[in-house]
Amino acid sequence: MHDLQAPLVGRRRVARDAFVLGFRAGPIAREVRAGQFVNVLLRPGPLLRRPFSVHRTEGEIVELVLRAVGEGTGRLLELREGDRVGLLGPLGRGFALDPSAGRVTLVSGGLGVAPMPMAARQARAMGLHVCWVHGARTAADLCSEWEGDEICWATEDGSRGVRGTALEAVPEPAGQVLACGPLPMLAALARRWPEAQVAVETVMGCGTGVCLGCAVPLTSGVYTRACTEGPVYRAGAVAWERLPAPAHAGWET
Ligand SMILES: Cc1cc2nc3c(=O)[nH]c(=O)nc-3n(C[C@H](O)[C@H](O)[C@H](O)COP(=O)(O)OP(=O)(O)OC[C@H]3O[C@@H](n4cnc5c(N)ncnc54)[C@H](O)[C@@H]3O)c2cc1C
Ligand code: FES
């Protein structure tokens, strides 16, 4: 794990109000795996670090995707090139790809695209065929960038692709399923593909296993820490009805 001061080196818009920010953080870029996250410290800014999935790496650059929802994300989007943030990571347990699956389907709802470019690249490097299924409320909210061999779109208003959530647009056979998105979408996905791996959002404090602020209840009755045992879980292992949703509807939408 590294704790770096990382300068902002790039920014681009990828959907309505959603931006990819690139930070130079070579040691993290070299180690991070799909589904892992970094904890971002802003000065001046909120007291606590804010967790973000690593979206993509390009050489020494670590990319994050976000939209302004509060103080931390608002401050991040006000940064100018050269401004530095504290980056702690890589953190958490990412996706475990199955090289024997032949095919992997990435299912993302809204900003649930966050961990998918890395997952697509890792899967292709293993020789897997990658189908990415991406859904959002409306066409303007769909992420304009994707990676893999094929893409399927879904929008709730039918303005692009299948009308409905990303789940409705998944072609069968899906092969190995990896997903990230709003909790109701992940809970529905767990009923259809209990073996899927899902990246789950929780409230987080320290991000390093100390504060117990990120508890995820499992169907076995035990609680785990999303920041260390997660944030990626087997979908069927999570007690979705007992998972406390963050105060908002989900960062992914
Ligand atoms: C493992 C993990 C990975 C994550 N990866 C990403 C990512 O890749 N991209 C990303 O954008 N976010 C991601 N998040 C969520 C991100 O950490 C929060 O959006 C962020 O902490 C919000 O901080 P803030 O200071 O802007 O908002 P706060 O000031 O903490 O919150 C202000 C208000 O906004 C609400 N709020 C907070 N977050 C959201 C949200 N996302 N949508 C709507 N309302 C919200 C709060 O409930 C509160 O009412 C991730 C979270 C976890 C746990
Ligand atoms: S955020 Fe502190 S233990 Fe997970």
Side-chain angles (χ1 to χ4, degrees):
M1 190 207 314
H2 305 275
D3 191 357
L4 309 172
Q5 286 298 310
L8 180 74
V9 291
R11 166 186 155 131
R12 62 183 186 276
R13 183 177 177 274
V14 290
R16 176 161 53 191
D17 303 327
F19 296 85
V20 171
L21 301 185
F23 295 93
R24 186 173 305 283
I28 295 177
R30 282 188 285 278
E31 274 179 36
V32 68
R33 308 293 293 163
Q36 291 189 297
F37 66 98
V38 289
N39 230 356
V40 179
L41 184 65
L42 288 148
R43 286 290 173 266
L47 191 60
L48 288 176
R49 290 176 179 268
R50 298 293 194 248
F52 293 91
S53 298
V54 173
H55 184 53
R56 191 186 271 111
T57 57
E58 295 289 353
E60 301 244 293
I61 313 299
V62 169
E63 291 187 346
L64 313 179
V65 61
L66 59 134
R67 140 176 320 132
V69 295
E71 189 190 354
T73 44
R75 279 270 304 119
L76 273 167
L77 291 180
E78 286 166 5
L79 294 176
R80 292 160 179 251
E81 279 204 20
D83 288 349
R84 288 168 186 268
V85 300
L87 281 193
L88 182 68
L91 297 171
R93 200 178 55 92
F95 294 115
L97 285 158
D98 175 4
S100 68
R103 176 183 176 88
V104 62
T105 299
L106 313 177
V107 184
S108 60
L111 278 187
V113 292
M116 296 312 181
M118 288 204 70
R121 285 185 187 183
Q122 275 177 230
R124 291 195 85 197
M126 294 167 85
L128 293 163
H129 178 94
V130 178
C131 171
W132 186 340
V133 184
H134 177 45
R137 286 196 189 110
T138 185
D141 297 325
L142 288 168
C143 184
S144 57
E145 300 178 352
W146 64 278
E147 299 203 16
D149 298 293
E150 53 176 313
I151 178 83
C152 300
W153 307 103
T155 46
E156 286 169 26
D157 65 0
S159 51
R160 184 162 187 194
V162 170
R163 180 187 294 269
T165 71
L167 286 196
E168 269 97 36
V170 174
E172 295 280 7
Q176 186 180 21
V177 176
L178 313 182
C180 184
L183 294 184
M185 184 194 103
L186 297 184
L189 181 130
R191 290 190 286 277
R192 188 156 151 200
W193 294 288
E195 296 307 318
Q197 292 180 38
V198 294
V200 170
E201 175 190 8
T202 57
V203 174
M204 273 192 193
C206 66
T208 55
V210 178
C211 73
L212 306 182
C214 60
V216 171
L218 301 185
T219 51
S220 63
V222 303
Y223 279 82
T224 66
R225 296 161 300 179
C227 66
T228 38
E229 287 84 45
V232 173
Y233 289 91
R234 190 175 72 80
V238 176
W240 295 99
E241 69 293 348
R242 288 192 281 125
L243 182 63
H248 55 81
W251 58 266
E252 307 86 350
T253 55

